[in-house]
Amino acid sequence: MNTKKIALLVCAMALAPASQAKDLRIGVALANFDLNFVSILRTQMANEMKKENIQGQFEDAKGDVAVQVQQVENFINQGVDAIILNPVDTQGVKRMMDAATKANIPLIFVNRKPEVELSGKMAYVGSDSMLGGQMEMEALAKKMNYKGNVAILMGALSAEEARQRTKATEEVIAKYKDMKVVEKQSAQWMRNEAVDVTSGWLLSGDKIDAIAANNDEMAIGAIMALGQSGNKDILVAGIDGTPDALQFIKNGKLALTVFQDAAGQGVGAVTMAKQVIDGTNKDKFMWIPYQVITKENYADFARKNVK
């Protein structure tokens, strides 16, 4: 072999690691594709992975913890580089955490903060559930002139965000002597469930001045029930800032919502996964801020949280 050929071979070998670098593969286990915000979150993560040339595999637990555990274990068996987890049950994550730790695979929680201490190659990307509930109820209380009866539509009680948002809502109401909680029930984050729960409240005859929902889908369900009964006097608020919610704000049927940034959480989760894989992350938590949306500023959010 002549000198020129040897030189070319050496150059090729030197360049091989860069040109043959393995594409990252990330498994994403989501709580339920049917939840509007989770669907938007999925789209945002998929767009970011495509932009970054990352192979993403998305799985739907359909609200079943056992199914989600199996999905995470399948990702581990496939040898993915990282797992992004939107947990069905924020208290039921220990088995998945242990499995990821044993396999030395980064585990990034998104949107729903686990109620277990994070360690090793773990991180959380999302928003502060207590703050979201507080912002929603303070804005709603102001519209109520700090007096009246409030009913609370709660999300699935297996989720930290439902319990924390509800707790914050109750704490705000307790601050004002002329306000009180008169009803409180879970509608499982779902629009149709909220229609049924709200209809039941209206039939009971208790005076309700406002409904604070843990998310927009339940707020919209409450509005539908109010429409069916011909009631136009009850104020309704939600959390998420979905396109549907913005339309209801535009039409004057939803008093307000609290914007939860799906793009910020989705892009943040992918970014955090890359950082933990590379060992360059400095923090275990990436907090994405909330913003209150009303009829005065809803147009500013029209291009956000889109699928």
Side-chain angles (χ1 to χ4, degrees), residues 121-151:
K121 294 183 177 181
M122 297 180 194
Y124 170 72
V125 177
S127 304
D128 183 335
S129 299
M130 282 288 288
L131 181 58
Q134 180 184 31
M135 290 173 66
E136 176 192 23
M137 195 59 234
E138 285 287 5
L140 186 57
K142 184 177 181 180
K143 286 185 175 292
M144 298 172 67
N145 294 317
Y146 303 99
K147 59 184 178 182
N149 297 337
V150 181

Side-chain angles (χ1 to χ4, degrees), residues 11 40 196 224 274 281:
C11 288
I40 297 168
D196 294 340
M224 292 169 64
K274 290 171 58 183
N281 66 301

Side-chain angles (χ1 to χ4, degrees), residues 16 40 52 95 115 146 158 181 185 218 224 232 292 294 299:
I40 297 168
E52 295 293 326
R95 180 173 168 182
E115 295 171 82
Y146 303 99
S158 59
V181 177
Q185 188 172 335
M218 293 188 296
M224 292 169 64
K232 299 180 180 180
V292 175
T294 63

Side-chain angles (χ1 to χ4, degrees), residues 46-85:
N47 290 343
E48 182 65 11
M49 288 183 188
K50 183 177 180 180
K51 177 182 171 184
E52 295 293 326
N53 294 316
I54 295 171
Q55 296 179 33
Q57 180 178 337
F58 293 80
E59 297 292 346
D60 180 8
K62 299 185 184 298
D64 190 318
V65 177
V67 169
Q68 190 163 66
V69 168
Q70 186 60 58
Q71 289 168 347
V72 169
E73 290 176 348
N74 288 344
F75 285 146
I76 291 170
N77 292 334
Q78 292 169 25
V80 298
D81 297 291
I83 296 169
I84 295 175
L85 178 60

Side-chain angles (χ1 to χ4, degrees), residues 149-168:
N149 297 337
V150 181
I152 304 174
L153 282 168
M154 301 182 292
L157 298 183
S158 59
E160 174 266 354
E161 58 188 331
R163 294 192 302 275
Q164 293 297 303
R165 288 174 184 174
T166 299
K167 180 181 178 183

Side-chain angles (χ1 to χ4, degrees), residues 80-244:
V80 298
D81 297 291
I83 296 169
I84 295 175
L85 178 60
N86 169 239
V88 171
D89 184 341
T90 51
Q91 293 180 326
V93 296
K94 188 72 165 57
R95 180 173 168 182
M96 292 177 279
M97 293 170 74
D98 290 345
T101 298
K102 184 177 180 180
N104 198 33
I105 293 176
L107 182 61
I108 313 302
F109 292 90
V110 64
N111 181 246
R112 295 180 175 181
K113 187 169 72 70
E115 295 171 82
V116 180
E117 184 177 352
L118 302 183
S119 61
K121 294 183 177 181
M122 297 180 194
Y124 170 72
V125 177
S127 304
D128 183 335
S129 299
M130 282 288 288
L131 181 58
Q134 180 184 31
M135 290 173 66
E136 176 192 23
M137 195 59 234
E138 285 287 5
L140 186 57
K142 184 177 181 180
K143 286 185 175 292
M144 298 172 67
N145 294 317
Y146 303 99
K147 59 184 178 182
N149 297 337
V150 181
I152 304 174
L153 282 168
M154 301 182 292
L157 298 183
S158 59
E160 174 266 354
E161 58 188 331
R163 294 192 302 275
Q164 293 297 303
R165 288 174 184 174
T166 299
K167 180 181 178 183
T169 299
E170 292 175 315
E171 288 180 356
V172 170
I173 292 169
K175 288 169 49 179
Y176 304 111
K177 63 182 180 63
D178 294 325
M179 296 181 66
K180 66 178 180 179
V181 177
V182 292
E183 297 284 0
K184 182 174 69 170
Q185 188 172 335
S186 173
Q188 303 295 326
W189 304 117
M190 306 299 286
R191 187 179 300 194
N192 290 341
E193 293 272 355
V195 171
D196 294 340
V197 171
T198 305
S199 296
W201 289 342
L202 295 174
L203 289 172
S204 72
D206 287 338
K207 186 179 187 305
I208 297 174
D209 298 295
I211 296 174
N214 284 172
N215 77 338
D216 285 341
E217 284 297 287
M218 293 188 296
I220 291 169
I223 291 168
M224 292 169 64
L226 293 173
Q228 291 169 6
S229 69
N231 190 312
K232 299 180 180 180
D233 300 323
I234 297 177
L235 295 173
V236 181
I239 296 177
D240 281 340
T242 63
D244 286 352

